[in-house]
Amino acid sequence: MNELFVLNRSITAMAAPSTAAETEDLRDLITDLQNRIAPLAASPSFVRSLTTIAENMEQSIAALGPALADIETPVSPQLARSVAATESAWRELEAEFGLLSSLQVSELVGSKSPNRSYASEQHAKGRLIAVKRPGGLRYPGFQIDRSEHTIRPVMADLIRVAGDAGRSEASLALWMTSRTGYLDGDRPVDQLSQPDKVVEAARQSFNVQW
């Protein structure tokens, strides 16, 4: 189902209609897409997956519409698409690695008495990324070495490099799950077994001059 994943991500990235007419056109496009593909599908699971994509699309439209309407200054379609793509990236990160609560971080590092202060203390010391999400601060799960029950030491170096380059923790988190030419097309998160290599890739990526 890799094709469906790509289709879902592409559609979500475009899911930012700026007018009611564009919204209706987008809905018509989704319906037409379903009608054309469904008869050609080789299995019922394909149809179910495509229907799920359409449902997610509808939910994105429903959520984005009111939010954009609250902004007095007109929002360009390009900006709206960028916001939608970024939100899609966060959801993919959460699905793959988790966006952990402070209590979950404490539990994963094997604290005998899990508490909420551990994560905030590590964040304050520059050892842990924290990002603002609905519901409060969350901690990307890839930072925890679950076999060793500890925060990956490389995170402190990456946070320092990003900070020196003026990059936010949120920007660093999304960079970690994006493919980069500085790692031959791999994602930094998939190369954490080679921390020095990832740190150098971050340094080059964040300090590139345009």
Side-chain angles (χ1 to χ4, degrees):
M1 292 298 177
N2 288 337
E3 293 84 358
L4 285 176
F5 175 79
V6 172
L7 177 62
N8 186 29
R9 184 168 186 173
S10 299
I11 290 177
T12 302
M14 295 187 295
S18 59
T19 69
E22 289 177 0
T23 297
E24 289 304 317
D25 288 344
L26 196 53
R27 284 177 174 152
D28 290 343
L29 175 62
I30 294 168
T31 300
D32 181 63
L33 197 59
Q34 285 183 275
N35 292 336
R36 288 173 181 272
I37 294 178
L40 304 176
S43 69
S45 62
F46 185 92
V47 178
R48 287 196 297 272
S49 298
L50 193 60
T51 300
T52 298
I53 291 175
E55 290 172 349
N56 290 340
M57 185 71 232
E58 292 284 350
Q59 292 172 6
S60 296
I61 292 171
L64 280 170
L68 294 176
D70 287 339
I71 302 176
E72 294 183 4
T73 304
V75 177
S76 70
Q78 293 85 354
L79 177 58
R81 282 194 292 270
S82 176
V83 171
T86 299
E87 179 59 26
S88 178
W90 281 120
R91 294 186 182 188
E92 290 170 18
L93 188 158
E94 181 174 18
E96 185 173 1
F97 302 103
L99 287 171
L100 310 175
S101 67
S102 54
L103 192 59
Q104 288 174 316
V105 171
S106 182
E107 291 171 344
L108 286 173
V109 298
S111 174
K112 295 181 179 179
S113 142
N115 60 83
R116 291 180 172 81
S117 63
Y118 175 80
S120 60
E121 289 171 358
Q122 297 304 305
H123 176 237
K125 292 177 180 178
R127 299 172 182 170
L128 193 65
I129 295 172
V131 296
K132 291 183 179 179
R133 295 293 294 160
L137 286 179
R138 292 293 183 266
Y139 305 86
F142 59 72
Q143 303 178 97
I144 309 298
D145 185 332
R146 305 195 184 201
S147 63
E148 297 294 332
H149 303 289
T150 186
I151 296 172
R152 296 181 186 276
V154 69
M155 293 313 304
D157 294 327
L158 289 169
I159 291 169
R160 187 179 310 109
V161 168
D164 289 346
R167 300 289 289 267
S168 68
E169 292 179 42
S171 175
L172 172 58
L174 293 178
W175 177 81
M176 291 289 293
T177 56
S178 301
R179 297 187 182 280
T180 173
Y182 294 107
L183 289 171
D184 297 324
D186 286 342
R187 303 183 305 172
V189 73
D190 296 325
Q191 295 288 335
L192 289 174
S193 60
Q194 304 181 68
D196 291 343
K197 185 177 179 180
V198 174
V199 171
E200 181 57 29
R203 185 174 291 110
Q204 293 180 37
S205 180
F206 295 162
N207 291 288
V208 65
Q209 298 295 319
W210 298 97

